[in-house]
Every structure is written in C-alpha cells, then in structure tokens.
Amino acid sequence: MSLLDVSSFAAGQWIAPGAGARNIASAITGEVIAQAGNDTLNVQGMLDYARSVGGPSLRKMTFHDRARMLKALAGHLNQHKQALYDLSFNTGATQSDHMIDIDGGIGTMFVFASKGRREMPDGHVYLDGDVEQLSRNGTFLGQHICTPLQGVAVHINAFNFPVWGMLEKLAPTLLAGVPAIVKPATATCYVTELAVRLMLESGILPDGALQLVSGGLGDMLDQLGMQDVVSFTGSAETALKLRANPVILRNSVRFVAEQDSLNASILGPDAQPGTPEFDLFVKEVSREMTTKAGQKCTAIRRIIAPESQIEAVIAALSERLAKTQIGDPRLEGTRMGALVSNAQKRDVMEKAAIIGQEATRVFGDPERFDVTGADAAKGAFVPPMLYHCEAPDTAERVHDTEAFGPVSTIMGYRDLDHAIALANRGQGSLVASVITHDPAVAREVAIGAGAYHGRLYFNNRDSMKESTGHGSPLPHMVHGGPGRAGGGEEMGGVRGVKHYMQRTAIQGSPDILSAIGEKWVPGGTEIEGPAHPFTRKFGELAVGETLHTAPRTVTLEDIETFAHFTGDTFYAHMDDEAAKRNPFFPGRVAHGYLLLSFAAGMFVQPDEGPVLANTGLDNLRFMKPVAAGDSIKVRLSVKKKTPRNDEYGEVRWHVTLTNQDDEIAAEYELLTMNAY
Ligand code: NDP
C-alpha cells in the first residue's frame, strides 16, 4: 500500500513531506500508513504571510462578515464529512467517536457563527461592558473595547480530536479576526490535513487566514512576538517546555494551555442503588471510560462514591463495561476502538501500572480480552480497566497520574466534605460531575470545589434526558481548568473570542466614545434628521439622530383609567395615604407602564413606514416617580444599527423620559426592526 503523504500548507503552497518526515501507523493494524513533516518548511515565511496577508484581510471584515464566513465553512465541511469519517477510522475511532470529533467540531463552528451574528456587532470594535461614568456631568466617560490582535494564532493540538481540536480553536480565532497556523499532533494529522484541505478548497477563506504544519513545528515559537498567541492542547510536560520558551516569556506571548486533567465524578450521597441517579452515574462513568477509548481530556479518571456504595458501583459498572465490544472501529457492533498508536498503548499501560501501586484492578485484564475483527497483537487495543483505591487519602498517584486511555479509579468517601476534598486532590481539572437529586449537595460542591474545576456538571432524573454528557465541552461554556489542567480557558461563547483580541480601556468625551464604538453614547452630539425618524429607512438613519417630543401632562384621570383598564390597581397608584407610607413615593404616582405607553404615543409616527416591528426593550430603569400634574417629554436617539438580513436591520434606540424639571423619570433601549 502506498503511503499517504500528509502535506503542510505554507504561504499559499502545499508542501509535501520531505527531510525529517515522521511515519504514522494505523491504530488498528500498526502498519505505517502515512508520513508527515519537512524540515525545510519556511516557518518564518508562514508567520510573515499570516501577519501581512491573512491578518489585514480578516481585519477588514466585520464580526458579522467573519461569522458568515464561519457558517459557510461549517456548511462546507458538513457536506464532506463522510470523507473525514472514512479516513478517521485509522485513528482507532468508532463512528460514534467521529460524531464527537467531526460533527462536534462542525457544530462548534456553527455555534460561533451564530453567536458572532447575535452577540457581536456588525463592526470592527467589540464593546466589553457598559460605559463607565467617570465625571459628574458626563463629559468624560470610560468604555472597554476589544480589537483583534495583529499577529498570528499558533494552534498546537493533541492527537485525540483531529477535527474538533482544530475547529474549537479556529472558530473563535477567525471570528476575532486573527489568522491561524494549525499544528495538529502528528499521530492523527492526516485527518486534520483533509479538513484543512476542504476548508481551503472551498474558497471561503481569505488568503493567509489558515495555514497548516504537518509534522514538526521547527523553530516557529522562537519567532513569535507580542501580538501572537499560542493555544496549546496536550501533555503537561510539553506545555511546560513550550511555555518556558524564553521568546514567549520575553515577549509576553499569550499562551493558552489545556493539558492533563484528573477529572472526577461524584455519586451524590442521596443516589442510592435503585434511584435513577445511581443508574445514571453508572451509565455516564462507563460511557466516559470507553468513548474514544478513554482518550478524552474530559474523561472521568476518578470515580468518587460513598464508601457504603463502593461494592454496588463496582458491580454495576463491571457489568456494563463487560458489554463493551472492542474491535475494528469500522464494524457496526464495535463500542470501543483502539488507542491511537502502540506508543500510546505502552504509555497507558505504564501509567496504569503506576496507578496499580496504590489501587487494585477490579475489572479488565489487558492480557485477556476479546477483540473483534482485528489483530489484538498488532493494533493498539486495550480493555476498559477499573481500579479500586482503598486509601484515597494517603494515595498520591491516583490523583496525579493520567492514564490517557480507558482507565479509571474508584474511591470511597465518608461524607460530602470528604468527597469534595478528594475531587480537589486532582489539583485542577477540566470538569467534575456530581450525580445528585439534592440541590443542597450541588450547592455545597459548587462552593467547595468550584475553584478547582473549570466546569461542574450536575445531572439527575430531571435533566438526564436532555443533558449533554460529563465529557462534552460545549461551545457556549468555558472549557479549560486551573492548575494541572493548564490554567487556560477556551470557548465559553464570546469569552473565547476575546482570547484573540486585546482589551483596551478607552477614556474620552461622549462623541469620542460614540465614534470608536459605533454606538451613540448619551451626552454625545444629537443629530437632527430631515424628517421624523420613523419615516426614515434603516440606511437613511444616522447614529445619533434624535427626536425630542412635545411635553404631555399626566393627570389623575390618566392614572385611574390605566389602572382600571389594565387591572393594575396597586396601592401606590390608587391610595394616596398608603403610597405616602412607602419610602419610594411622595403619594399616588403613575404606573411605570403607563409612562412607557405614553412615551410610545409621543414618539411614534403612526403611518405605515419603514419601522416594521417593536422587538423589545433593554435596560429599563424607572428613576424618578411621576405624579399627577407632572409633565413628561421624551428624547429618542438612534443608538446603534445592526443589519439582520436582506430586508431589514435592527435599530437600537436610546429613550429618555424627563419631567418638567429635566430629571430623568425613566430610561431604556428600544429595539425595532426597520426596512432598508
Ligand atoms: P503532546 O504533549 O506530546 O503533544 C501535543 C502537541 O504538541 C502535539 O501537536 C505535538 O506535536 C506538539 N509538540 C510536542 N512537542 C513539541 C515541541 N517541542 N514543539 C512544538 N510542538 C510540540 O501530547 P499528545 O497529543 O501526544 O498526547 C500525549 C499526552 O497528553 C496524553 O497521553 C495525555 O496524557 C495528554 N493529553 C491531555 C489532553 C488534555 O486536554 N487533558 C488532551 C490530549 C492529550 P507532535 O505530535 O508532532 O509531537
């Protein structure tokens, strides 16, 4: 069989393997199937190309342009995923493992595409938080902004998720506006290479936005500067070596690391055998042990159960694990494939032996297990192995040794504090889960263990049907953890995009802030439009365009009519004496909703026109009560415009209601959809 040549993509050229290329073996047969790497790769040229060609093109686009690009990329990969599945079986992964890696990666990209459109502006500057009042009269304000880094993101990925591992980093990077150089782990880089090829061939990406290093990275890290980011997933040992690079330290290059993790799962004290939680626990643990043959950064390595339940858990878990059919991942009945390589198998067995010094193996014998459809002696097959540690307080290795395969250790706890202490002995993990139906248990764990874990996953009979699984990092939620887990953070929605941007504090006048943020700030110049703003199309309205209404006096009759019409006869509106006893009111006052309704009546232009719909209010505050006899007027300003589709865009209006003394009675943001 001819070897698969896994190329790199550098400065617009595919570079085939050459001097120093490494061999890659099939996980199933152990035979060499591919080669990757070329010592002559011009890494400086790649960095230059990303910085001078990819970065500028990406930064010209708005967040929405880039979000649309991600959606198109994800759609393209989705159409071609069968080719990725076919190739990926060689890594030892089953079809359900592919769903996590390939479909999961594509899904992650879709989520970032959608978050980019919904939660980020159609502009070049992301506003982080609200305007800060830095002065008494509001002529000097503060605002935090984020803009894309002007360097390159170097993504160094682990072998276990050749597609998801790339896309979960690539999506937020590209959305931020930063070009990426992806360096997959050599063991599975042929799958990543195909995914990169598909993305590049789609023509969706601008030149220089994505490059690929298959094989060694050369001295790329020695060439990085302060605008670059390294985002790493892999072993703690490699992370330490790379983050200690003097150039990275000297130039304060951002280094995001996601490394080893001794994730725990706790069986709640309430989850006795016979409860839905007990069964759920056994199911989740066995799934986490066997999915991807345990080669998951989030897999459950430590099973923490009440001492009184240890025997029951071992029995139930063993029964379930015994049903795991191991074999060629292409076969339909296979539940667990092979480890990625025989080197990885040796590593897992060495680590299992270390764990074995403090724990007894109670399930799984690596010398005696069935493998279907493949040669167990040649492929990297191992059975699920369950260890029992009887003295978890004095044990060390079970809390610090990650056997990156289907290996877990069960240990007993005396009470919940003990369970929390054991979970925290991992010294920082990506995820810990608790299977409990008792909210008080969940709260205690959240407070006691939150600081040690990047994610806490609670599951029980109420959520189990829809829950996403202990081991699934979701694009919406933070993935990463403190301490041993690397101290980094990825994803978490827009938070993950910010890792590739610089946050800058901006201070200045309202007009300066309005111009920078493309969003009108109260106190900024008000633009008088040529006609009522409701008669103006989306494209015609200017940010800052403002309407001032005539005043309207609020009468007692208005208040009573509104009260009886709506049924809101709350005493503050109806009973003067009772209202006076309330520290907020001088006596009877108008309903807040009456004021909002009057405001609309004062600022709308009723004719059919470009305003299509009122889609909501944000940040509503009633600041000063309005009593009968007071008069109110409204200022309506265009705060921000966001195109939504080919027909209409969203206009965010800043609305301020003031009384006869120019005191603010109410303030809010009104959202409308306006035709182009
Ligand atoms: P490694 O740390 O060996 O490799 C991770 C990545 O770093 C790979 O892309 C690797 O490339 C690259 N790399 C290694 N050395 C260098 C270097 N000197 N310069 C630049 N890049 C380098 O991890 P593996 O993926 O091989 O996995 C090994 C172990 O890592 C597992 O057994 C497990 O313990 C842990 N791991 C933990 C994960 C987690 O998130 N908790 C996830 C995956 C793995 P190359 O392959 O070419 O050497």
Side-chain angles (χ1 to χ4, degrees):
M1 197 182 94
S2 64
L3 284 194
L4 191 64
D5 275 344
V6 191
S7 298
S8 296
F9 186 73
Q13 304 289 327
W14 283 101
I15 311 288
R22 307 178 198 168
N23 285 337
I24 304 167
S26 156
I28 309 164
T29 63
E31 283 166 22
V32 174
I33 52 164
Q35 57 173 347
N38 191 326
D39 289 345
T40 63
L41 196 66
N42 178 3
V43 292
Q44 182 62 57
M46 292 179 80
L47 292 169
D48 292 344
Y49 191 67
R51 291 174 187 141
S52 63
V53 179
S57 305
L58 286 168
R59 291 197 298 277
K60 265 198 208 109
M61 301 163 79
T62 65
F63 289 105
H64 285 200
D65 291 337
R66 295 191 292 262
R68 279 188 286 269
M69 175 181 83
L70 289 185
K71 188 173 175 192
L73 275 181
H76 185 77
L77 286 172
N78 218 12
Q79 281 172 7
H80 295 86
K81 62 187 176 191
Q82 187 60 46
L84 291 165
Y85 293 159
D86 292 344
L87 193 59
S88 201
F89 284 117
N90 293 303
T91 68
T94 62
Q95 181 61 35
S96 45
D97 295 336
H98 298 341
M99 302 302 282
I100 300 175
D101 183 34
I102 296 163
D103 294 77
I106 294 169
T108 297
M109 205 167 219
F110 272 126
V111 170
F112 274 99
S114 134
K115 287 201 164 278
R117 292 290 305 283
R118 279 187 290 111
E119 297 172 29
M120 302 189 85
D122 190 29
H124 298 90
V125 173
Y126 177 79
L127 301 180
D128 185 39
D130 292 333
V131 169
E132 298 285 344
Q133 292 291 333
L134 303 178
S135 62
R136 179 187 287 263
N137 297 317
T139 61
F140 188 70
L141 304 168
Q143 167 81 63
H144 291 93
I145 65 165
C146 296
T147 52
L149 289 174
Q150 298 184 11
V152 52
V154 178
H155 297 166
I156 302 176
N157 295 328
F159 67 77
N160 53 342
F161 288 112
V163 176
W164 177 83
M166 166 171 65
L167 298 183
E168 60 107 7
K169 291 187 172 84
L170 191 60
T173 303
L174 293 176
L175 185 53
V178 177
I181 296 176
V182 175
K183 189 256 173 283
T186 303
T188 55
C189 68
Y190 47 94
V191 184
T192 311
E193 191 234 38
L194 176 58
V196 168
R197 243 177 226 284
L198 289 168
M199 287 192 279
L200 292 171
E201 283 169 7
S202 73
I204 294 165
L205 284 167
D207 288 347
L210 174 60
Q211 298 178 80
L212 173 73
V213 176
S214 300
L217 200 54
D219 64 351
M220 187 180 283
L221 300 187
D222 298 334
Q223 318 299 331
L224 298 184
M226 51 86 66
Q227 288 292 309
D228 303 322
V229 187
V230 178
S231 192
F232 172 86
T233 303
S235 64
E237 203 183 328
T238 311
L240 180 63
K241 188 159 80 187
L242 302 188
R243 76 183 345 154
N245 177 314
V247 174
I248 289 185
L249 293 176
R250 191 176 314 118
N251 293 339
S252 306
V253 177
R254 279 189 206 180
F255 193 93
V256 183
E258 204 236 288
Q259 53 191 50
D260 302 1
S261 182
L262 275 293
N263 312 295
S265 186
I266 301 174
L267 177 67
D270 54 304
Q272 307 280 320
T275 62
E277 283 72 28
F278 185 89
D279 297 342
L280 175 63
F281 182 76
V282 170
K283 200 165 146 195
E284 288 240 17
V285 170
S286 93
R287 191 175 58 205
E288 289 302 321
M289 283 179 72
T290 54
T291 303
K292 284 290 297 185
Q295 300 166 109
K296 256 170 62 179
C297 48
T298 50
I300 296 169
R301 307 287 175 208
R302 294 176 306 139
I303 304 160
I304 303 177
E307 278 171 355
S308 57
Q309 307 302 343
I310 290 289
E311 272 181 34
V313 175
I314 292 175
L317 203 48
S318 301
E319 194 187 327
R320 207 175 166 97
L321 290 172
K323 292 188 190 139
T324 310
Q325 184 178 319
I326 303 162
D328 185 328
R330 293 182 189 89
L331 299 178
E332 222 169 87
T334 299
R335 289 286 159 268
M336 191 171 97
L339 295 173
V340 73
S341 64
N342 281 311
Q344 188 62 23
K345 177 175 166 178
R346 279 190 295 279
D347 185 66
V348 168
M349 293 316 301
E350 277 168 26
K351 300 282 174 49
I354 295 172
I355 290 168
Q357 294 164 9
E358 294 174 342
T360 315
R361 201 176 62 228
V362 290
F363 182 86
D365 182 349
E367 304 300 329
R368 283 182 48 218
F369 65 102
D370 292 332
V371 172
T372 315
D375 185 343
K378 290 190 174 154
F381 295 97
V382 290
M385 287 173 268
L386 179 65
Y387 284 81
H388 176 209
C389 176
E390 289 191 22
D393 292 326
T394 49
E396 303 273 345
R397 300 290 81 84
V398 297
H399 300 296
D400 69 11
T401 306
E402 185 185 35
F404 206 65
V407 182
S408 273
T409 307
I410 184 165
M411 50 195 84
Y413 71 81
R414 295 181 292 277
D415 53 28
L416 196 54
D417 282 345
H418 188 213
I420 292 169
L422 289 175
N424 295 352
R425 285 283 303 280
Q427 291 299 305
S429 83
L430 297 170
V431 53
S433 55
V434 188
I435 308 300
T436 179
H437 196 228
D438 183 347
V441 168
R443 184 179 148 76
E444 218 169 301
V445 175
I447 292 169
Y452 284 76
H453 307 274
R455 179 161 62 89
L456 291 176
Y457 169 93
F458 298 97
N459 204 359
N460 60 28
R461 67 192 77 177
D462 301 331
S463 51
M464 63 187 188
K465 283 217 172 66
E466 290 193 309
S467 61
T468 47
H470 159 109
S472 299
L474 300 175
H476 321 68
M477 308 304 288
V478 161
H479 176 54
R484 193 190 306 284
E489 231 186 69
E490 295 180 328
M491 302 197 292
V494 171
R495 289 176 194 88
V497 184
K498 292 188 200 169
H499 299 316
Y500 300 95
M501 296 199 278
Q502 176 63 40
R503 181 172 21 242
T504 307
I506 298 292
Q507 291 166 254
S509 71
D511 277 350
I512 297 287
L513 263 57
S514 299
I516 292 172
E518 297 172 276
K519 184 174 178 182
W520 184 77
V521 172
T525 301
E526 294 174 10
I527 298 169
E528 197 181 330
H532 190 286
F534 272 39
T535 65
R536 302 203 353 108
K537 293 184 181 152
F538 183 84
E540 294 167 343
L541 281 172
V543 170
E545 199 165 315
T546 297
L547 172 82
H548 286 273
T549 70
R552 167 175 187 154
T553 301
V554 178
T555 66
L556 198 56
E557 199 188 337
D558 291 333
I559 297 173
E560 297 213 328
T561 305
F562 189 80
H564 293 304
F565 178 51
T566 62
D568 179 354
T569 52
F570 188 63
Y571 71 89
H573 314 304
M574 306 306 287
D575 180 340
D576 200 52
E577 286 306 310
K580 279 191 177 122
R581 287 193 289 274
N582 180 318
F584 285 91
F585 302 119
R588 289 178 72 176
V589 293
H591 306 66
Y593 301 121
L594 170 60
L595 300 179
L596 294 188
S597 304
F598 275 166
M602 292 156 84
F603 66 61
V604 297
Q605 208 285 349
D607 300 339
E608 183 177 4
V611 177
L612 305 176
N614 169 353
T615 54
L617 301 181
D618 272 348
N619 302 324
L620 170 62
R621 284 287 172 280
F622 295 116
M623 287 133 112
K624 180 103 194 158
V626 172
D630 286 347
S631 98
I632 53 167
K633 57 188 184 303
V634 183
R635 180 185 67 188
L636 177 78
S637 305
V638 177
K639 182 162 192 159
K640 188 165 181 59
K641 300 197 311 177
T642 308
R644 283 292 175 218
N645 61 22
D646 293 342
E647 285 174 57
Y648 51 82
E650 181 189 86
V651 180
R652 182 175 287 268
W653 309 81
H654 190 95
V655 188
T656 311
L657 269 73
T658 44
N659 66 16
Q660 61 281 1
D661 300 322
D662 285 333
E663 294 166 318
I664 299 179
E667 200 158 33
Y668 56 97
E669 291 168 12
L670 166 72
L671 299 168
T672 61
M673 290 298 174
N674 288 40
Y676 288 130

